[in-house]
Coordinates of all heavy atoms in Angstrom, one line a residue:
M1 N 104.0 82.0 101.7 CA 102.6 82.1 101.4 C 102.2 83.5 101.1 O 102.6 84.4 102.1 CB 101.9 81.6 102.6 CG 100.4 81.5 102.5 SD 99.7 80.2 101.3 CE 99.8 78.8 102.4
S2 N 101.7 83.9 100.1 CA 101.1 85.3 100.0 C 99.6 85.2 100.0 O 99.0 84.2 99.8 CB 101.6 85.9 98.6 OG 100.9 85.3 97.6
L3 N 99.0 86.3 100.2 CA 97.6 86.4 100.4 C 96.9 86.1 99.2 O 95.7 85.8 99.1 CB 97.2 87.8 101.0 CG 95.8 87.8 101.6 CD1 95.5 86.7 102.5 CD2 95.6 89.1 102.2
S4 N 97.5 86.2 98.0 CA 96.9 85.9 96.8 C 96.6 84.4 96.7 O 95.8 83.9 95.9 CB 97.9 86.2 95.6 OG 99.0 85.5 95.6
R5 N 97.2 83.7 97.5 CA 96.8 82.2 97.6 C 95.9 81.8 98.6 O 95.5 80.6 98.7 CB 98.2 81.4 97.7 CG 99.0 81.6 96.5 CD 100.1 80.6 96.5 NE 100.9 80.6 95.3 CZ 102.0 79.9 95.2 NH1 102.5 79.1 96.0 NH2 102.6 80.0 94.0
L6 N 95.5 82.8 99.4 CA 94.5 82.5 100.4 C 93.3 83.3 100.1 O 93.4 84.5 99.8 CB 95.0 82.8 101.8 CG 96.1 81.9 102.3 CD1 96.6 82.5 103.6 CD2 95.5 80.6 102.6
K7 N 92.1 82.8 100.4 CA 90.9 83.7 100.2 C 89.8 83.4 101.2 O 90.0 82.2 101.9 CB 90.4 83.7 98.8 CG 90.3 82.4 98.2 CD 90.0 82.6 96.7 CE 90.2 81.2 95.9 NZ 90.2 81.3 94.6
K8 N 88.9 84.1 101.3 CA 87.7 83.9 102.2 C 87.1 82.6 101.9 O 86.8 82.2 100.8 CB 86.7 85.1 101.9 CG 85.6 85.2 102.8 CD 84.8 86.4 102.6 CE 83.5 86.3 103.4 NZ 82.5 87.3 103.0
G9 N 86.9 81.9 103.0 CA 86.2 80.5 102.9 C 87.3 79.4 102.9 O 86.9 78.3 103.1
D10 N 88.5 79.7 102.7 CA 89.6 78.8 102.8 C 89.7 78.1 104.3 O 89.5 78.9 105.2 CB 90.9 79.3 102.3 CG 91.1 79.4 100.9 OD1 90.3 78.8 100.2 OD2 92.1 80.1 100.4
M11 N 90.0 76.9 104.3 CA 90.3 76.3 105.7 C 91.9 76.4 105.7 O 92.7 76.1 104.9 CB 90.0 74.8 105.7 CG 88.5 74.6 105.7 SD 87.6 75.3 107.1 CE 88.3 74.3 108.5
V12 N 92.3 76.9 107.0 CA 93.7 77.0 107.2 C 94.1 76.4 108.6 O 93.3 76.2 109.4 CB 94.2 78.5 107.2 CG1 94.1 79.1 105.8 CG2 93.4 79.3 108.3
K13 N 95.4 76.1 108.6 CA 95.9 75.5 110.0 C 96.8 76.7 110.5 O 97.7 77.1 109.8 CB 96.6 74.2 109.7 CG 97.1 73.6 111.0 CD 97.5 72.2 110.8 CE 97.8 71.5 112.1 NZ 98.0 70.1 112.0
V14 N 96.7 76.8 111.8 CA 97.5 77.8 112.5 C 98.9 77.2 112.9 O 98.9 76.1 113.5 CB 96.9 78.3 113.7 CG1 97.7 79.4 114.4 CG2 95.5 78.9 113.5
L15 N 100.0 77.9 112.5 CA 101.3 77.4 112.7 C 102.0 77.9 113.9 O 103.0 77.4 114.3 CB 102.2 77.7 111.4 CG 101.6 77.2 110.1 CD1 102.5 77.6 108.9 CD2 101.4 75.7 110.1
A16 N 101.5 79.0 114.3 CA 102.2 79.7 115.5 C 101.2 80.5 116.4 O 100.1 80.7 116.0 CB 103.1 80.7 114.9
G17 N 101.7 80.7 117.6 CA 100.8 81.6 118.5 C 100.0 80.7 119.4 O 100.2 79.4 119.4
K18 N 99.2 81.3 120.1 CA 98.4 80.6 121.1 C 97.4 79.6 120.5 O 96.9 78.7 121.2 CB 97.7 81.6 122.0 CG 96.7 82.5 121.4 CD 95.8 83.3 122.2 CE 94.8 84.2 121.4 NZ 93.9 84.9 122.2
D19 N 97.0 79.8 119.3 CA 96.1 78.8 118.7 C 96.8 77.9 117.7 O 96.2 77.2 116.9 CB 95.1 79.6 117.8 CG 94.2 80.4 118.8 OD1 93.6 79.8 119.7 OD2 94.0 81.6 118.5
K20 N 98.0 77.6 117.9 CA 98.9 76.8 117.1 C 98.2 75.4 117.1 O 97.9 74.8 118.0 CB 100.2 76.6 117.7 CG 101.3 75.9 116.8 CD 102.6 75.9 117.6 CE 103.6 75.0 116.8 NZ 104.9 75.0 117.4
G21 N 98.1 74.8 115.8 CA 97.6 73.5 115.7 C 96.1 73.5 115.4 O 95.5 72.5 114.8
K22 N 95.5 74.6 115.6 CA 94.0 74.7 115.3 C 93.8 74.9 113.8 O 94.7 75.5 113.2 CB 93.3 75.7 116.1 CG 93.3 75.4 117.6 CD 92.5 76.5 118.3 CE 92.6 76.4 119.8 NZ 92.0 77.5 120.6
T23 N 92.6 74.5 113.5 CA 92.1 74.9 112.1 C 90.9 75.7 112.1 O 90.1 75.6 113.0 CB 91.9 73.6 111.2 OG1 90.9 72.8 111.9 CG2 93.0 72.7 111.0
G24 N 90.7 76.4 111.0 CA 89.6 77.3 110.9 C 89.3 77.8 109.6 O 90.2 77.7 108.7
K25 N 88.2 78.5 109.4 CA 87.8 79.0 108.0 C 88.1 80.5 108.1 O 87.8 81.2 109.0 CB 86.4 78.8 107.8 CG 85.9 79.1 106.3 CD 84.6 78.4 106.1 CE 83.4 79.1 106.7 NZ 82.1 78.7 106.3
I26 N 88.6 81.0 106.9 CA 88.9 82.3 106.7 C 87.6 83.1 106.7 O 86.8 82.8 105.7 CB 89.8 82.7 105.6 CG1 91.2 82.0 105.8 CG2 90.1 84.2 105.4 CD1 92.2 82.2 104.6
L27 N 87.4 84.1 107.5 CA 86.2 84.9 107.5 C 86.4 86.1 106.7 O 85.5 86.7 106.0 CB 85.7 85.2 108.9 CG 85.4 84.2 109.9 CD1 85.1 84.7 111.2 CD2 84.2 83.3 109.4
K28 N 87.6 86.6 106.8 CA 87.9 87.9 106.1 C 89.4 88.0 105.7 O 90.2 87.5 106.5 CB 87.5 89.0 107.1 CG 87.5 90.4 106.5 CD 87.2 91.4 107.6 CE 87.4 92.8 107.2 NZ 87.3 93.6 108.3
A29 N 89.7 88.5 104.6 CA 91.1 88.7 104.1 C 91.3 90.2 104.0 O 90.4 90.9 103.5 CB 91.3 88.0 102.8
I30 N 92.4 90.6 104.4 CA 92.8 92.1 104.4 C 94.1 92.2 103.5 O 95.2 92.2 104.2 CB 92.9 92.7 105.8 CG1 91.7 92.4 106.6 CG2 93.1 94.3 105.6 CD1 92.0 92.5 108.2
P31 N 93.9 92.1 102.2 CA 95.1 92.0 101.4 C 96.2 93.2 101.6 O 97.4 92.9 101.5 CB 94.6 92.2 99.9 CG 93.1 91.9 100.0 CD 92.7 92.3 101.4
E32 N 95.7 94.4 101.8 CA 96.6 95.5 102.0 C 97.6 95.4 103.1 O 98.6 96.0 103.3 CB 95.9 96.9 101.9 CG 94.9 97.1 102.9 CD 93.5 96.6 102.5 OE1 93.4 95.6 101.7 OE2 92.4 97.1 103.1
K33 N 97.1 94.5 104.1 CA 97.9 94.3 105.4 C 98.5 92.9 105.4 O 99.1 92.6 106.5 CB 97.1 94.7 106.6 CG 96.9 96.2 106.7 CD 96.0 96.5 108.0 CE 95.8 97.9 108.1 NZ 94.8 98.1 109.2
D34 N 98.1 92.1 104.5 CA 98.6 90.6 104.5 C 98.0 90.1 105.9 O 98.7 89.2 106.5 CB 100.1 90.5 104.6 CG 100.6 90.5 103.1 OD1 99.7 90.4 102.2 OD2 101.7 90.6 102.8
R35 N 96.8 90.4 106.2 CA 96.2 89.8 107.4 C 94.9 89.1 107.2 O 94.2 89.4 106.2 CB 96.0 90.9 108.5 CG 97.3 91.5 109.0 CD 97.0 92.7 109.9 NE 96.7 92.3 111.2 CZ 97.6 92.0 112.2 NH1 98.8 92.0 111.9 NH2 97.2 91.7 113.4
I36 N 94.5 88.2 108.0 CA 93.3 87.5 107.8 C 92.6 87.4 109.2 O 93.2 87.5 110.2 CB 93.5 86.1 107.3 CG1 94.6 85.3 108.0 CG2 93.8 86.1 105.8 CD1 94.7 83.8 107.7
V37 N 91.2 87.1 109.0 CA 90.5 86.8 110.3 C 90.0 85.5 110.1 O 89.4 85.1 109.0 CB 89.3 87.8 110.5 CG1 88.4 87.5 111.6 CG2 89.7 89.2 110.5
V38 N 90.3 84.6 111.1 CA 89.8 83.2 110.9 C 88.9 82.8 112.1 O 89.1 83.2 113.2 CB 91.0 82.3 111.1 CG1 90.7 80.8 110.9 CG2 92.1 82.6 109.9
E39 N 87.9 82.0 111.7 CA 86.8 81.6 112.6 C 87.3 81.0 113.8 O 88.1 80.0 113.7 CB 85.9 80.7 111.9 CG 84.5 80.5 112.5 CD 83.6 79.6 111.6 OE1 84.2 78.8 110.8 OE2 82.4 79.9 111.6
K40 N 87.0 81.5 115.0 CA 87.3 80.9 116.4 C 88.8 81.0 116.6 O 89.3 80.3 117.6 CB 86.8 79.6 116.5 CG 85.3 79.4 116.3 CD 84.6 79.5 117.7 CE 83.1 79.3 117.6 NZ 82.3 80.5 117.3
I41 N 89.6 81.7 115.9 CA 90.9 81.8 116.1 C 91.5 83.2 116.4 O 90.9 84.1 116.0 CB 91.8 81.4 114.8 CG1 91.4 79.9 114.3 CG2 93.3 81.5 115.0 CD1 91.8 78.8 115.3
N42 N 92.4 83.3 117.4 CA 92.9 84.6 117.9 C 91.8 85.4 118.5 O 91.5 86.6 118.1 CB 93.6 85.3 116.7 CG 94.3 86.5 117.3 OD1 94.9 86.5 118.4 ND2 94.4 87.5 116.5
L43 N 90.9 84.8 119.4 CA 89.9 85.5 120.0 C 90.3 86.5 120.8 O 91.3 86.3 121.8 CB 89.0 84.5 120.7 CG 88.1 83.5 119.8 CD1 87.4 82.5 120.7 CD2 87.1 84.3 118.9
V44 N 89.8 87.7 120.8 CA 90.2 88.7 121.7 C 88.9 89.3 122.4 O 87.9 89.3 121.8 CB 90.9 89.8 121.0 CG1 92.3 89.5 120.6 CG2 90.1 90.3 119.8
K45 N 89.1 89.6 123.6 CA 87.9 90.1 124.4 C 87.7 91.6 124.1 O 88.6 92.4 124.1 CB 88.2 90.0 125.8 CG 88.1 88.5 126.3 CD 88.1 88.4 127.8 CE 87.7 87.1 128.3 NZ 88.7 86.0 127.9
K46 N 86.5 91.9 123.7 CA 86.2 93.3 123.6 C 85.0 93.7 124.4 O 84.1 93.0 124.6 CB 85.8 93.4 122.1 CG 86.9 93.2 121.1 CD 86.6 93.8 119.8 CE 87.9 93.8 119.0 NZ 87.7 94.2 117.6
H47 N 85.1 94.9 124.9 CA 84.1 95.5 125.7 C 83.0 96.1 124.8 O 83.4 96.8 123.9 CB 84.6 96.5 126.7 CG 85.4 96.0 127.7 ND1 84.9 95.6 129.0 CD2 86.8 95.8 127.7 CE1 85.9 95.1 129.7 NE2 87.1 95.1 129.0
K48 N 81.7 95.6 125.1 CA 80.8 96.2 124.1 C 79.8 97.0 125.0 O 79.4 96.6 126.1 CB 80.0 94.9 123.6 CG 79.3 95.2 122.2 CD 78.7 93.9 121.7 CE 78.0 94.2 120.5 NZ 77.3 93.1 119.8
R49 N 79.5 98.1 124.4 CA 78.5 99.0 125.1 C 77.0 98.5 124.9 O 76.8 98.0 123.9 CB 78.6 100.5 124.5 CG 79.7 101.2 124.9 CD 79.9 102.5 124.1 NE 81.1 103.1 124.4 CZ 81.1 104.1 125.1 NH1 80.1 104.8 125.6 NH2 82.3 104.8 125.4
P50 N 76.3 98.6 125.9 CA 74.9 98.1 125.7 C 74.2 99.0 124.7 O 74.3 100.2 124.6 CB 74.2 98.3 127.0 CG 75.1 99.1 127.8 CD 76.6 99.2 127.2
D51 N 73.3 98.3 123.8 CA 72.4 99.0 122.9 C 71.1 98.4 122.9 O 70.8 97.6 123.9 CB 73.0 99.0 121.5 CG 73.2 97.6 120.9 OD1 72.5 96.7 121.4 OD2 74.1 97.3 120.1
Q52 N 70.2 98.8 122.0 CA 68.8 98.2 122.1 C 68.7 96.7 122.0 O 67.8 96.2 122.6 CB 67.9 98.9 121.0 CG 67.5 100.3 121.3 CD 68.2 101.3 120.4 OE1 69.4 101.0 119.9 NE2 67.6 102.4 120.2
K53 N 69.7 96.2 121.3 CA 69.7 94.7 121.1 C 70.4 93.9 122.2 O 70.0 92.8 122.5 CB 70.2 94.4 119.7 CG 69.2 94.6 118.5 CD 69.9 94.2 117.3 CE 69.0 94.6 116.1 NZ 69.8 94.5 114.8
N54 N 71.5 94.5 122.6 CA 72.4 93.7 123.4 C 72.5 94.4 124.8 O 72.5 95.6 125.0 CB 73.7 93.6 122.8 CG 73.6 92.7 121.6 OD1 73.3 91.6 121.5 ND2 73.9 93.5 120.4
K55 N 72.8 93.5 125.8 CA 73.0 94.1 127.1 C 74.4 94.7 127.3 O 74.6 95.3 128.3 CB 72.9 92.9 128.2 CG 71.4 92.6 128.5 CD 71.3 91.7 129.7 CE 71.7 90.4 129.4 NZ 71.6 89.4 130.6
G56 N 75.3 94.3 126.4 CA 76.7 94.9 126.6 C 77.5 93.9 127.4 O 77.0 92.8 127.6
G57 N 78.7 94.3 127.8 CA 79.6 93.4 128.5 C 80.8 93.1 127.7 O 81.1 93.7 126.7
I58 N 81.3 91.9 128.1 CA 82.6 91.5 127.3 C 82.2 90.4 126.3 O 81.5 89.5 126.6 CB 83.6 90.9 128.3 CG1 84.1 92.1 129.2 CG2 84.8 90.4 127.6 CD1 84.9 91.7 130.5
V59 N 82.6 90.7 125.0 CA 82.3 89.6 124.0 C 83.7 89.2 123.4 O 84.6 90.0 123.4 CB 81.4 90.2 122.9 CG1 80.0 90.4 123.4 CG2 81.9 91.4 122.2
E60 N 83.6 88.0 122.9 CA 84.9 87.5 122.3 C 84.7 87.6 120.8 O 83.7 87.3 120.3 CB 85.2 86.1 122.8 CG 85.8 86.0 124.1 CD 86.5 84.7 124.4 OE1 86.0 83.6 123.9 OE2 87.6 84.8 125.0
K61 N 85.8 88.1 120.1 CA 85.7 88.4 118.8 C 87.0 88.0 118.2 O 88.1 88.1 118.7 CB 85.4 89.9 118.5 CG 84.7 90.2 117.2 CD 84.2 91.6 117.2 CE 83.7 91.9 115.8 NZ 84.6 91.8 114.7
E62 N 86.9 87.5 116.9 CA 88.2 87.2 116.2 C 88.9 88.4 115.8 O 88.4 89.3 115.3 CB 87.9 86.4 114.9 CG 87.3 85.0 115.2 CD 85.8 84.9 115.1 OE1 85.1 86.0 115.2 OE2 85.3 83.8 115.2
G63 N 90.2 88.3 116.1 CA 91.1 89.5 115.8 C 91.9 89.0 114.6 O 92.2 87.9 114.4
S64 N 92.3 90.0 113.8 CA 93.1 89.7 112.6 C 94.6 89.3 112.9 O 95.1 89.7 114.0 CB 93.0 90.9 111.6 OG 93.8 92.0 112.1
F65 N 95.1 88.5 112.2 CA 96.6 88.3 112.3 C 97.3 88.0 111.0 O 96.6 87.8 110.0 CB 96.8 87.1 113.4 CG 96.2 85.8 112.8 CD1 96.9 84.9 112.2 CD2 94.9 85.6 113.2 CE1 96.2 83.8 111.7 CE2 94.3 84.4 112.8 CZ 94.9 83.4 112.1
H66 N 98.5 88.0 111.1 CA 99.4 88.0 109.8 C 99.3 86.5 109.1 O 99.3 85.6 109.8 CB 100.9 88.3 110.1 CG 101.6 88.7 108.8 ND1 102.4 87.8 108.2 CD2 101.6 89.8 108.1 CE1 102.9 88.4 107.1 NE2 102.4 89.6 107.1
I67 N 99.2 86.5 107.8 CA 99.0 85.3 107.1 C 100.2 84.4 107.3 O 100.2 83.2 107.0 CB 98.8 85.7 105.6 CG1 99.9 86.4 105.0 CG2 97.4 86.2 105.3 CD1 100.1 86.5 103.5
S68 N 101.4 84.9 107.7 CA 102.6 84.0 107.8 C 102.3 83.0 109.0 O 103.0 82.0 109.0 CB 103.8 84.8 108.1 OG 103.6 85.5 109.3
K69 N 101.3 83.2 109.7 CA 101.0 82.2 110.8 C 100.1 81.1 110.4 O 99.8 80.2 111.3 CB 100.4 83.1 112.0 CG 101.2 84.0 112.7 CD 100.6 84.5 114.0 CE 101.6 85.3 114.7 NZ 100.8 86.0 115.9
V70 N 99.8 81.0 109.2 CA 98.9 79.9 108.8 C 99.4 79.3 107.5 O 100.2 79.8 106.8 CB 97.4 80.4 108.6 CG1 96.8 81.0 109.8 CG2 97.3 81.2 107.3
A71 N 98.9 78.0 107.3 CA 99.1 77.3 106.1 C 97.7 76.8 105.5 O 96.8 76.5 106.5 CB 100.0 76.1 106.2
L72 N 97.6 76.8 104.3 CA 96.3 76.3 103.7 C 96.2 74.9 104.1 O 97.2 74.0 104.1 CB 96.3 76.4 102.2 CG 95.1 76.2 101.5 CD1 94.1 77.4 101.9 CD2 95.3 76.3 100.0
L73 N 94.9 74.4 104.5 CA 94.8 73.1 104.9 C 94.4 72.1 103.8 O 93.4 72.5 103.0 CB 93.6 73.0 106.0 CG 93.3 71.8 106.6 CD1 94.4 71.4 107.7 CD2 92.0 71.8 107.3
C74 N 95.1 71.0 103.7 CA 94.8 70.2 102.6 C 93.9 69.1 103.2 O 94.3 68.3 104.1 CB 96.1 69.5 101.9 SG 95.7 68.1 100.8
G75 N 92.7 68.9 102.6 CA 91.8 67.9 103.1 C 92.3 66.4 103.0 O 91.9 65.6 103.9
K76 N 93.1 66.2 102.1 CA 93.6 64.9 101.9 C 94.7 64.6 102.9 O 94.8 63.5 103.5 CB 94.1 64.6 100.4 CG 94.1 63.3 100.1 CD 94.5 63.0 98.6 CE 94.7 61.5 98.3 NZ 95.3 61.3 97.1
C77 N 95.7 65.5 103.0 CA 96.8 65.4 103.9 C 96.4 65.5 105.3 O 97.0 65.2 106.3 CB 97.9 66.3 103.5 SG 98.6 66.1 102.0
N78 N 95.3 66.3 105.5 CA 94.8 66.7 106.8 C 95.7 67.4 107.6 O 95.8 67.3 108.8 CB 94.2 65.4 107.5 CG 93.3 65.9 108.7 OD1 92.6 66.8 108.5 ND2 93.3 65.1 109.7
T79 N 96.5 68.3 106.9 CA 97.4 69.1 107.6 C 97.6 70.4 106.8 O 97.2 70.5 105.6 CB 98.7 68.4 107.8 OG1 99.5 69.3 108.8 CG2 99.5 68.1 106.6
G80 N 98.4 71.4 107.4 CA 98.7 72.6 106.7 C 99.8 72.3 105.7 O 100.8 71.7 106.0
V81 N 99.6 72.8 104.4 CA 100.6 72.5 103.4 C 100.9 73.7 102.6 O 100.4 74.7 102.6 CB 100.1 71.3 102.5 CG1 99.8 70.1 103.1 CG2 98.8 71.8 101.8
R82 N 102.1 73.5 101.9 CA 102.5 74.5 100.9 C 101.6 74.3 99.6 O 101.3 73.1 99.3 CB 104.0 74.4 100.5 CG 104.8 74.9 101.6 CD 106.2 74.6 101.2 NE 107.2 75.4 102.0 CZ 107.6 76.6 101.7 NH1 107.1 77.2 100.6 NH2 108.4 77.3 102.5
V83 N 101.4 75.3 98.9 CA 100.6 75.1 97.7 C 101.3 75.8 96.6 O 102.1 76.7 96.7 CB 99.1 75.8 97.7 CG1 98.3 74.9 98.7 CG2 99.2 77.2 98.1
R84 N 101.0 75.3 95.4 CA 101.5 76.0 94.1 C 100.3 76.1 93.2 O 99.3 75.4 93.3 CB 102.7 75.2 93.6 CG 102.4 73.7 93.3 CD 103.7 73.0 93.0 NE 103.4 71.6 93.0 CZ 102.9 70.9 91.9 NH1 102.6 71.5 90.8 NH2 102.8 69.6 92.0
S85 N 100.5 77.0 92.3 CA 99.4 77.3 91.4 C 99.6 76.4 90.1 O 100.7 76.2 89.8 CB 99.3 78.8 91.0 OG 99.1 79.5 92.1
K86 N 98.5 76.1 89.5 CA 98.6 75.3 88.2 C 97.6 76.0 87.3 O 96.4 76.1 87.7 CB 98.3 73.9 88.5 CG 98.6 73.1 87.3 CD 98.2 71.6 87.6 CE 98.3 70.8 86.4 NZ 97.7 69.3 86.5
L87 N 97.9 76.1 86.1 CA 97.0 76.7 85.1 C 96.4 75.4 84.3 O 97.1 74.7 83.7 CB 97.8 77.6 84.2 CG 96.9 78.7 83.5 CD1 96.2 79.6 84.5 CD2 97.8 79.5 82.6
L88 N 95.0 75.4 84.3 CA 94.5 74.3 83.7 C 94.3 74.6 82.2 O 94.4 75.8 81.8 CB 93.0 74.0 84.3 CG 93.0 73.6 85.7 CD1 91.5 73.4 86.2 CD2 93.7 72.3 86.0
E89 N 93.9 73.6 81.4 CA 93.9 73.8 79.9 C 92.7 74.9 79.6 O 92.9 75.6 78.6 CB 93.5 72.5 79.3 CG 94.7 71.6 79.1 CD 94.4 70.3 78.5 OE1 93.3 70.1 77.9 OE2 95.3 69.3 78.7
D90 N 91.8 74.9 80.4 CA 90.7 75.9 80.1 C 91.0 77.4 80.7 O 90.2 78.2 80.6 CB 89.3 75.4 80.7 CG 89.4 75.3 82.2 OD1 90.4 75.6 82.9 OD2 88.3 74.8 82.7
G91 N 92.3 77.5 81.1 CA 92.7 78.8 81.6 C 92.4 79.1 83.1 O 92.7 80.1 83.6
K92 N 91.8 78.1 83.7 CA 91.3 78.3 85.2 C 92.6 78.1 85.9 O 93.4 77.1 85.7 CB 90.3 77.3 85.5 CG 89.2 77.9 86.3 CD 88.1 76.9 86.6 CE 87.4 77.1 87.9 NZ 86.5 76.1 88.2
K93 N 92.8 78.8 87.0 CA 94.0 78.7 87.9 C 93.5 77.8 89.2 O 92.5 78.2 89.7 CB 94.5 80.0 88.4 CG 96.0 80.0 88.5 CD 96.3 81.5 88.7 CE 97.8 81.6 89.0 NZ 98.1 83.0 89.4
V94 N 94.3 76.8 89.5 CA 93.9 76.1 90.7 C 95.1 76.0 91.6 O 96.2 76.2 91.1 CB 93.3 74.6 90.4 CG1 92.1 74.6 89.7 CG2 94.4 73.9 89.6
R95 N 94.8 75.7 92.9 CA 95.9 75.5 93.8 C 96.2 74.0 94.0 O 95.2 73.3 94.2 CB 95.5 76.2 95.1 CG 95.6 77.8 94.9 CD 95.0 78.4 96.0 NE 93.7 77.9 96.4 CZ 92.9 78.3 97.5 NH1 93.5 79.2 98.3 NH2 91.8 77.9 97.7
I96 N 97.4 73.6 94.0 CA 97.7 72.3 94.1 C 98.6 72.1 95.5 O 99.4 72.8 95.7 CB 98.7 71.8 93.0 CG1 98.0 72.2 91.6 CG2 99.0 70.4 93.1 CD1 97.0 71.3 91.2
C97 N 98.2 71.0 96.2 CA 98.9 70.7 97.4 C 100.4 70.2 96.9 O 100.4 69.3 96.1 CB 98.2 69.6 98.2 SG 99.2 68.9 99.5
S98 N 101.4 70.7 97.6 CA 102.7 70.3 97.1 C 103.1 68.9 97.7 O 104.2 68.4 97.3 CB 103.8 71.4 97.4 OG 103.8 71.6 98.8
K99 N 102.3 68.5 98.6 CA 102.6 67.2 99.2 C 102.0 66.0 98.4 O 102.6 65.1 98.1 CB 102.0 67.1 100.6 CG 103.1 67.4 101.7 CD 102.6 67.1 103.1 CE 103.6 67.4 104.2 NZ 103.0 67.3 105.5
C100 N 100.6 66.1 98.2 CA 99.9 65.0 97.6 C 99.5 65.4 96.1 O 98.9 64.5 95.5 CB 98.7 64.7 98.3 SG 97.5 65.9 98.4
N101 N 99.8 66.6 95.6 CA 99.4 66.9 94.3 C 98.0 67.0 94.0 O 97.6 67.0 92.8 CB 100.3 66.1 93.3 CG 101.7 66.4 93.4 OD1 102.1 67.5 93.5 ND2 102.6 65.4 93.2
E102 N 97.2 67.0 95.0 CA 95.7 67.1 94.8 C 95.3 68.6 94.7 O 95.9 69.4 95.3 CB 95.0 66.6 96.0 CG 95.0 65.0 96.1 CD 94.1 64.4 95.0 OE1 93.0 64.8 94.8 OE2 94.7 63.5 94.3
V103 N 94.3 68.8 93.9 CA 93.8 70.1 93.8 C 93.1 70.5 95.1 O 92.3 69.7 95.6 CB 92.7 70.3 92.7 CG1 92.1 71.6 92.7 CG2 93.5 70.1 91.3
I104 N 93.4 71.7 95.7 CA 92.6 72.1 96.9 C 91.5 72.8 96.6 O 91.6 73.9 96.0 CB 93.7 72.8 97.9 CG1 94.9 71.9 98.2 CG2 92.8 73.3 99.0 CD1 95.9 72.6 99.1
N105 N 90.3 72.3 96.9 CA 89.0 72.9 96.6 C 88.7 74.0 97.5 O 89.1 73.9 98.7 CB 87.9 71.9 96.6 CG 88.0 71.1 95.4 OD1 88.4 71.5 94.3 ND2 87.7 69.7 95.5
V106 N 88.1 75.0 97.0 CA 87.6 76.1 97.8 C 86.1 75.9 98.1 O 85.3 75.7 97.3 CB 87.9 77.4 97.2 CG1 87.5 78.5 98.1 CG2 89.3 77.5 96.8
G107 N 85.7 76.0 99.4 CA 84.3 75.8 99.7 C 83.4 77.0 99.2 O 83.8 77.9 98.7
Ligands
ZN1 ZN1 97.7 67.2 100.3

């Protein structure tokens, strides 16, 4: 899996680590590091200083992690799958689930 096949808004399944088996939406992609930030995955505690809006304290925030730990989620297979690219007749590139051959839509 390369990051060119994953983008912001994609649903992914976590394959390794403490959040193994969970699914979430990609909030941010960092192509130069091959890392992503996924909603509610890899939460890390951060100390926040109080400011005018917040009291401060410990907040949980998503930390980035390497893309090798996730697979794109196929809505039909309902699991993390390998994808391949397919060029449509109109020149548009889509991602195809290698299990069920369905086009994986991006939200
Ligand atoms: Zn599928």
